[in-house]
C-alpha cells in the first residue's frame, strides 16, 4: 500500500526521528515501494494459522530478584552525554 | 607473513603447543598485516596493546602446560558484541563513543577459552544491510574482485568486516551475527565458511539487539574444522538470555567425518530462482552430482511459502528493531543533539544519529506496529512465519538436510545497489527462511563464477543438528576443492 507524506510525518513523530523536507519526501517514496512489495503477502490464506512470535517453545522461567552486580555507577555514567551528582541530565520537563 | 598466510586455527594451535612460534609472535604478525591492509577497512577499532599483553599471558600458560582450548588464538569480533572497556559502535554514529561496562556472554566465553581479540570488525549500521555500505565508518571492501577490475566490490553484510578479516588473513577466525543471512551471505561473497547456529544455541546477552526473535551469533572461519572449534567455545546455556536453550553441547569437531553416505538431501524447487545467475545454478547442479558420488540420496522437496519469507521478514525484523532501537535517546549513552525540550532532544538525536537504512527500518517497524495496521501487517507476517516453519517441519520428516545455493549472485561493486532498497534486500532471499524457522545453516565456499568471484553452498539442518551440518560441509569442502587464488592487491 502506498503511504503519503502525512503518514510518514506521523510515524516519524511516533518514532521520535526528526526528518528534514527532502528526507521526508524520499522516505515517503521508499516506504511506499517497500510496502507495495510487501502487499504480496495478502495472497496467502492465513485464516486458520496462528501467529508465531518466536521459535522457542519453552515457557519463560522465573528467577529470584537478586543483585548480581553493583557499584558500577561510574562505569555507567561515563557513557552519558551529561550527568551531575550521579544523575543523567535532560532539558527541564516541569515548569 | 609466511607465518600466517592461510593458517587455520587448528594449525596455529598445533604450532603454539609445539612451540614453533609464540602467541606473541602470532599476534604481532597479524598486527603488521592489519596495518598493511587498511584499504580493506575491515576493522573499526583495534585492540593491539591489550592483545599483545594477553599473548604474553597465553605464552606463559602454554609453557606451564595449562593451555585452554583456544589459547593464544587471535580472532576478530563483530562490532555488535559488547566488549568491556573496548569501544562498541554497531557501526553507528549513535554509539560512536560507547564503552560497554560489561562483556557479552559469547565474547566472555571466547576470552575464557584463551582466544585473543585483535579488534572490532566493520558491519552494516546496527547489522541492517547486505553490503556493509550502511556503516557509519564507510564500507569494508571485499578482498576478492575480478582481475583487472578498477571498482571495489562489497564483502556482503552485515558481518562484512568479519568476513573480510578472515578472507584477507587479518585474523584466524571471526565472530558474526546472522538475523537474515548476515553471516552466510558475506561468507559466501568472501570465500569463507560461515555458520548460523540454531536459534537459542548462542546467548544473545550483550549483543546490540536488532531483531530479537531472529538474531544469532556464529563463527566465520577459513575451514569447516575451525568453525567447529570456534562454535564449541561460543555456545551454551545462559540464564541471562530468556531464549537461551539448556541443551547438551556436543563436541562439534568429533562430528566431522567427511562422509555423507545414506544421508537424504532435500533439494527445494522454490530455491531455483529466476534471479539466480546461471553460474549459481550450474554449481548447484554440480553439487547434486557430488551428493550422488558420495553415496547420499537426492529428494525433491517443496517449501511452498519460501517466496513469502523475505517480505514477511521485512515486517517482523523492522518491527522488532523499532522497539529495540527505542533505547537510543541521547540521555544515558551514545550520541546526543541538544534540543529546547526533552522531546526535541530525542527527535534531534535520533534524526542525526541514525543513518538512512536504520531510519527506514525503524519507520517501517513503527508503521506496521501502529494502530490500524498491526493486524494487517505484523500479525499477518507472524502467521506466515508459522507457515514457513511448518514447511520446514514437514520436509524434515523425509530428509536429513536441505541443500541450496547461499545467494542468488556473487558479490557486486560498491554503490551498485545502495539506492534501491528492495534490490538490496533480494540478497537474502535464500538465507532468510532459516532465520524465520530458527534453523541452523552453514555456508561454505563451493566454487567461482565467470568473473572469478566466490560462490557458496548452503546447508540447512534440523534444529540443533549443527554436528550433522559440519560433517556434511566437511565432505563438500573436500570435493569442492575451493582454491583461494586471489591477488593481494590491497597491500600497502
Amino acid at each position: 500500500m502506498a503511504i503519503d507524506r502525512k503518514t510518514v510525518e506521523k510515524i516519524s513523530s511516533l518514532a521520535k526521528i526528526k526528518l528534514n523536507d527532502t528526507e521526508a519526501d524520499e522516505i515517503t517514496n521508499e516506504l511506499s515501494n517497500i510496502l507495495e512489495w510487501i502487499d504480496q503477502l495478502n495472497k496467502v490464506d492465513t485464516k486458520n494459522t496462528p501467529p508465531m512470535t518466536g521459535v522457542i517453545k519453552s515457557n519463560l522461567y522465573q528467577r529470584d530478584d537478586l543483585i548480581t552486580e553493583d557499584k558500577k555507577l561510574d562505569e555507567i555514567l561515563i557513557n552519558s552525554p551529561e550527568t551531575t551528582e550521579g544523575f543523567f541530565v535532560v532539558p527541564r520537563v516541569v515548569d | 607473513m609466511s607465518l600466517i598466510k592461510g593458517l587455520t586455527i587448528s594449525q596455529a594451535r598445533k604450532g603454539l603447543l609445539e612451540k614453533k612460534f609464540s602467541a606473541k609472535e602470532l599476534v604481532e604478525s597479524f598486527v603488521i598485516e592489519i596495518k598493511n591492509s587498511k584499504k580493506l577497512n575491515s576493522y573499526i577499532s583495534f585492540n593491539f596493546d591489550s592483545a599483545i599483553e594477553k599473548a604474553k599471558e597465553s605464552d606463559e600458560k602454554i609453557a606451564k602446560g595449562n593451555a585452554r582450548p583456544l589459547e593464544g588464538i587471535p580472532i576478530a569480533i563483530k562490532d555488535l558484541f559488547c566488549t568491556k572497556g573496548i569501544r562498541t559502535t554497531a557501526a553507528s554514529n549513535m554509539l560512536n563513543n560507547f564503552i560497554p561496562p560489561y562483556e557479552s556472554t559469547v565474547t566472555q566465553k571466547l576470552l575464557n577459552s584463551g582466544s585473543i581479540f585483535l579488534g572490532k570488525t566493520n558491519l552494516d549500521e546496527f547489522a541492517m544491510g547486505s553490503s556493509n555500505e550502511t556503516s557509519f565508518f564507510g564500507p569494508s571492501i571485499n578482498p576478492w574482485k575480478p582481475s583487472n577490475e578498477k571498482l571495489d566490490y562489497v564483502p556482503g553484510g552485515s558481518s562484512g568486516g568479519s568476513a573480510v578479516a578472515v578472507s584477507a588473513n587479518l585474523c584466524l577466525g571471526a565472530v558474526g551475527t546472522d538475523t537474515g543471512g548476515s553471516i552466510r551471505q558475506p561468507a559466501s561473497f568472501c570465500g569463507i565458511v560461515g555458520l548460523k547456529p540454531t536459534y537459542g544455541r548462542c546467548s544473545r546477552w550483550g549483543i546490540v539487539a536488532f531483531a530479537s526473535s531472529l538474531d544469532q551469533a556464529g563463527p566465520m572461519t577459513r575451514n569447516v574444522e575451525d568453525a567447529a572449534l570456534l562454535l564449541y567455545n561460543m555456545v551454551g546455556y545462559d540464564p541471562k538470555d530468556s531464549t537461551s536453550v539448556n541443551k547438551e553441547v556436543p563436541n562439534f569437531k568429533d562430528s566431522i567425518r567427511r562422509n555423507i553416505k545414506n544421508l537424504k538431501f532435500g533439494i527445494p524447487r522454490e530455491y531455483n530462482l529466476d534471479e539466480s545467475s546461471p553460474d549459481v545454478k550450474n554449481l548447484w547442479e554440480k553439487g547434486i552430482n557430488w551428493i550422488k558420488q558420495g553415496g547420499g540420496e537426492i529428494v525433491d522437496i517443496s517449501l511452498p511459502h519460501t517466496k513469502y519469507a523475505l517480505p514477511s521478514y521485512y515486517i517482523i525484523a523492522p518491527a522488532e528493531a523499532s522497539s529495540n532501537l527505542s533505547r537510543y535517546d541521547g540521555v544515558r549513552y551514545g550520541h546526543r543533539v541538544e534540543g529546547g525540550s526533552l522531546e526535541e532532544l530525542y527527535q534531534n538525536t535520533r534524526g542525526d544519529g541514525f543513518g538512512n537504512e536504520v531510519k527506514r527500518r525503524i519507520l517501517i517497524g513503527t508503521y506496521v506496529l501502529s494502530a490500524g495496521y498491526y493486524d494487517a501487517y505484523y500479525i499477518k507476517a507472524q502467521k506466515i512465519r508459522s507457515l514457513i516453519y511448518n514447511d520446514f517441519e514437514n520436509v524434515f520428516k523425509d530428509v536429513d538436510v536441505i541443500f541450496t545455493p547461499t545467494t542468488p549472485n556473487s558479490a557486486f561493486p560498491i554503490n551498485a545497489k545502495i539506492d534501491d532498497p528492495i534490490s538490496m534486500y533480494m540478497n537474502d532471499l535464500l538465507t532468510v527462511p532459516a532465520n524465520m524457522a530458527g534453523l541452523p545453516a552453514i555456508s561454505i565456499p563451493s566454487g567461482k563464477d565467470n568473473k572469478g568471484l566466490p560462490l557458496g553452498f548452503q546447508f540447512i539442518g534440523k534444529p540443533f543438528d549443527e554436528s550433522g551440518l559440519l560433517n556434511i560441509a566437511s565432505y563438500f569442502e573436500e570435493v569442492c576443492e575451493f582454491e583461494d587464488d586471489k591477488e593481494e592487491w590491497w597491500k600497502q
Side-chain angles (χ1 to χ4, degrees):
Chain A
M1 192 177 79
I3 58 170
D4 55 19
R5 164 94 186 231
K6 222 177 121 197
T7 310
V8 167
E9 281 166 11
K10 188 183 159 217
I11 55 176
S12 69
S13 145
L14 286 173
K16 309 229 178 296
I17 293 178
K18 188 179 176 178
L19 300 175
N20 63 34
D21 257 9
T22 337
E23 276 182 314
D25 281 337
E26 273 171 19
I27 284 192
T28 305
N29 204 0
E30 287 163 357
L31 256 54
S32 290
N33 288 339
I34 294 168
L35 290 167
E36 275 168 20
W37 169 70
I38 282 175
D39 280 341
Q40 59 178 295
L41 297 180
N42 294 329
K43 287 186 217 147
V44 188
D45 179 5
T46 52
K47 226 180 301 159
N48 300 314
T49 311
M52 183 179 208
T53 48
V55 297
I56 300 290
K57 285 172 182 153
S58 58
N59 291 325
L60 292 178
Y61 60 90
Q62 289 189 320
R63 59 169 170 77
D64 293 329
D65 189 13
L66 299 171
I67 295 170
T68 53
E69 290 179 77
D70 64 352
K71 301 193 175 64
K72 289 194 140 192
L73 187 65
D74 291 342
E75 280 176 73
I76 287 166
L77 289 180
I78 204 169
N79 280 301
S80 173
E82 195 182 350
T83 62
T84 182
E85 294 172 36
F87 290 96
F88 300 117
V89 176
V90 295
R92 195 185 179 98
V93 284
V94 191
D95 287 324
Chain B
M1 183 59 199
S2 55
L3 175 63
I4 56 175
K5 186 167 184 192
L7 189 71
T8 64
I9 294 176
S10 51
Q11 288 165 351
R13 177 161 174 87
K14 198 158 172 273
L16 286 166
L17 295 182
E18 289 172 1
K19 310 212 171 56
K20 293 207 168 110
F21 45 82
S22 68
K24 187 167 167 277
E25 284 167 333
L26 195 57
V27 168
E28 284 169 347
S29 305
F30 278 109
V31 170
I32 293 169
E33 278 304 294
I34 293 169
K35 286 182 176 166
N36 289 338
S37 305
K38 286 200 173 145
K39 250 185 207 164
L40 298 177
N41 200 23
S42 57
Y43 285 84
I44 290 174
S45 304
F46 303 118
N47 189 40
F48 295 155
D49 292 346
S50 157
I52 287 168
E53 285 310 306
K54 290 261 183 199
K56 289 180 194 162
E57 289 169 29
S58 285
D59 284 329
E60 279 170 32
K61 281 212 156 64
I62 291 167
K64 286 180 188 153
N66 295 330
R68 294 165 288 176
L70 295 177
E71 194 70 63
I73 300 295
I75 60 171
I77 308 293
K78 185 180 188 179
D79 204 15
L80 199 66
F81 290 81
C82 285
T83 41
K84 189 176 179 177
I86 305 174
R87 182 172 78 135
T88 299
T89 69
S92 179
N93 189 20
M94 192 61 99
L95 290 175
N96 199 354
N97 295 313
F98 177 59
I99 305 202
Y102 66 104
E103 190 74 38
S104 84
T105 298
V106 164
T107 49
Q108 186 63 56
K109 280 176 183 284
L110 288 166
L111 288 172
N112 295 346
S113 74
S115 65
I116 295 173
F117 299 167
L118 292 166
K120 306 292 292 288
T121 49
N122 207 345
L123 64 148
D124 282 289
E125 185 180 2
F126 284 106
M128 298 180 193
S130 307
S131 67
N132 221 161
E133 290 167 286
T134 71
S135 168
F136 174 68
F137 302 95
S140 183
I141 307 294
N142 197 328
W144 289 85
K145 62 159 128 183
S147 46
N148 302 321
E149 171 68 273
K150 288 204 179 77
L151 299 172
D152 285 330
Y153 275 59
V154 303
S158 65
S159 310
S162 290
V164 172
V166 173
S167 179
N169 293 296
L170 308 179
C171 62
L172 281 177
V175 176
T177 61
D178 191 316
T179 305
S182 283
I183 287 175
R184 291 160 285 156
Q185 186 253 17
S188 173
F189 278 13
C190 293
I192 64 162
V193 174
L195 191 157
K196 181 197 92 72
T198 313
Y199 184 85
R201 261 288 189 217
C202 285
S203 168
R204 291 178 297 107
W205 197 77
I207 302 173
V208 175
F210 163 15
S212 304
S213 80
L214 303 161
D215 298 341
Q216 255 299 287
M220 303 175 78
T221 53
R222 221 157 272 149
N223 68 14
V224 175
E225 186 186 9
D226 283 2
L229 287 170
L230 209 50
L231 178 67
Y232 185 73
N233 290 288
M234 296 170 65
V235 299
Y237 174 63
D238 179 12
K240 291 180 194 158
D241 172 0
S242 61
T243 58
S244 167
V245 173
N246 198 351
K247 218 172 169 77
E248 201 191 327
V249 177
N251 193 341
F252 299 114
K253 195 177 157 230
D254 294 345
S255 62
I256 295 179
R257 296 180 303 274
R258 304 189 194 281
N259 183 349
I260 60 161
K261 220 174 167 102
N262 299 327
L263 289 178
K264 288 182 180 170
F265 287 76
I267 314 296
R269 65 183 74 119
E270 291 81 5
Y271 282 59
N272 193 358
L273 306 168
D274 295 340
E275 294 90 336
S276 292
S277 80
D279 292 333
V280 166
K281 292 186 184 192
N282 291 339
L283 194 59
W284 195 17
E285 279 299 320
K286 219 165 152 184
I288 291 170
N289 282 327
W290 279 325
I291 293 172
K292 292 174 189 159
Q293 279 170 27
E297 194 186 318
I298 304 291
V299 184
D300 284 317
I301 57 166
S302 173
L303 296 160
H305 298 92
T306 298
K307 70 181 278 204
Y308 302 112
L310 196 65
S312 51
Y313 172 87
Y314 274 95
I315 293 175
I316 290 170
E320 294 184 16
S322 73
S323 169
N324 273 325
L325 272 65
S326 64
R327 71 191 65 175
Y328 304 105
D329 57 6
V331 175
R332 293 151 301 153
Y333 46 81
H335 188 66
R336 171 189 283 200
V337 178
E338 298 298 339
S341 64
L342 184 58
E343 178 77 16
E344 258 181 50
L345 180 147
Y346 291 151
Q347 297 227 6
N348 293 345
T349 296
R350 292 164 62 81
D352 190 63
F354 292 133
N356 286 343
E357 180 62 22
V358 174
K359 284 185 202 168
R360 218 158 19 227
R361 296 208 197 181
I362 292 175
L363 293 171
I364 294 172
T366 307
Y367 181 71
V368 300
L369 291 175
S370 64
Y373 300 101
Y374 183 83
D375 286 343
Y377 285 107
Y378 185 58
I379 298 293
K380 179 82 183 180
Q382 287 189 324
K383 288 180 172 181
I384 289 168
R385 188 172 183 184
S386 293
L387 295 172
I388 293 163
Y389 184 89
N390 295 343
D391 281 355
F392 280 111
E393 214 172 35
N394 286 335
V395 300
F396 275 127
K397 287 175 193 154
D398 302 321
V399 302
D400 298 296
V401 66
I402 295 167
F403 170 46
T404 79
T406 309
T407 57
N409 289 288
S410 62
F412 46 88
I414 300 257
N415 290 329
K417 298 187 178 179
I418 193 71
D419 292 327
D420 181 358
I422 294 176
S423 117
M424 186 68 88
Y425 298 168
M426 293 296 169
N427 273 292
D428 298 329
L429 267 172
L430 307 177
T431 47
V432 154
N435 298 79
M436 295 290 268
L439 300 169
I442 190 168
S443 175
I444 62 156
S446 54
K448 290 172 202 137
D449 69 359
N450 59 4
K451 289 177 271 183
L453 295 173
L455 297 171
F457 280 160
Q458 174 178 237
F459 300 94
I460 305 171
K462 293 178 182 174
F464 301 100
D465 190 22
E466 288 85 1
S467 297
L469 284 184
L470 287 159
N471 171 47
I472 288 162
S474 70
Y475 164 79
F476 279 90
E477 181 173 54
E478 204 162 75
V479 293
C480 290
E481 295 180 322
F482 179 81
E483 196 196 345
D484 185 350
D485 56 358
K486 63 182 178 290
E487 288 166 31
E488 296 182 319
W489 54 268
W490 63 87
K491 290 278 179 68
Q492 279 159 347

